[in-house]
Amino acid sequence: QVQLVESGGGSVQGGGSLRLSCAASGYTVGTSCMGWFRQAPGKEREGVATISSSSYEGTTYAASVKGRFTISQDNAKNTLYLQMNYLKPEDTAMYYCAADPRSGRYCWTRPYNYWGQGTQVTVSS
């Protein structure tokens, strides 16, 4: 049974930083696609960053967060992270961690089959 548990969300002023964590159980981080996604009220869910087990594919970021956010993983802790710097009010959303054990390719576009419950990030101006 795959379980993903996010933590680290909160309220921060614009320009601040947060680090989100996604602790996995029943699944080994680093063996396939994982990603962070977010959904703001009244908007569709969107991709934020993904990471592949394939060194060829590596990491992918949404244009809106590139240069500000960094996705990483700690295999020893079986945890995925999202370091978010220079936060903006438009980053306010529920952030979700996702994993797809079926493949380590095409991580940005594939339909993820395991999701966490989400952690709220609120950025004030």
Side-chain angles (χ1 to χ4, degrees):
Q1 182 84 5
V2 175
Q3 285 193 319
L4 304 172
V5 180
E6 302 98 332
S7 61
S11 296
V12 64
Q13 281 197 324
S17 298
L18 285 173
R19 187 177 80 155
L20 305 184
S21 299
C22 173
S25 59
Y27 167 77
T28 303
V29 169
T31 59
S32 67
C33 291
M34 291 195 78
W36 288 97
F37 299 79
R38 67 187 181 186
Q39 187 167 20
K43 295 188 176 182
E44 291 189 354
R45 186 172 61 199
E46 63 176 0
V48 176
T50 60
I51 186 166
S52 171
S53 56
S54 162
S55 57
Y56 176 79
E57 185 166 322
T59 57
T60 305
Y61 295 91
S64 59
V65 307
K66 204 166 188 178
R68 300 188 297 123
F69 291 11
T70 303
I71 188 171
S72 63
Q73 56 198 21
D74 186 330
N75 295 346
K77 295 183 178 181
N78 213 38
T79 301
L80 180 75
Y81 300 100
L82 184 68
Q83 177 67 43
M84 305 186 296
N85 298 328
Y86 305 106
L87 283 159
K88 304 175 181 180
E90 50 264 44
D91 295 318
T92 295
M94 184 71 79
Y95 283 71
Y96 298 92
C97 166
D100 188 344
R102 298 170 296 182
S103 176
R105 297 297 306 276
Y106 310 110
C107 296
W108 187 254
T109 56
R110 71 180 307 100
Y112 285 77
N113 53 348
Y114 292 101
W115 295 83
Q117 82 290 348
T119 185
Q120 178 68 38
V121 171
T122 303
V123 185
S124 58
S125 56

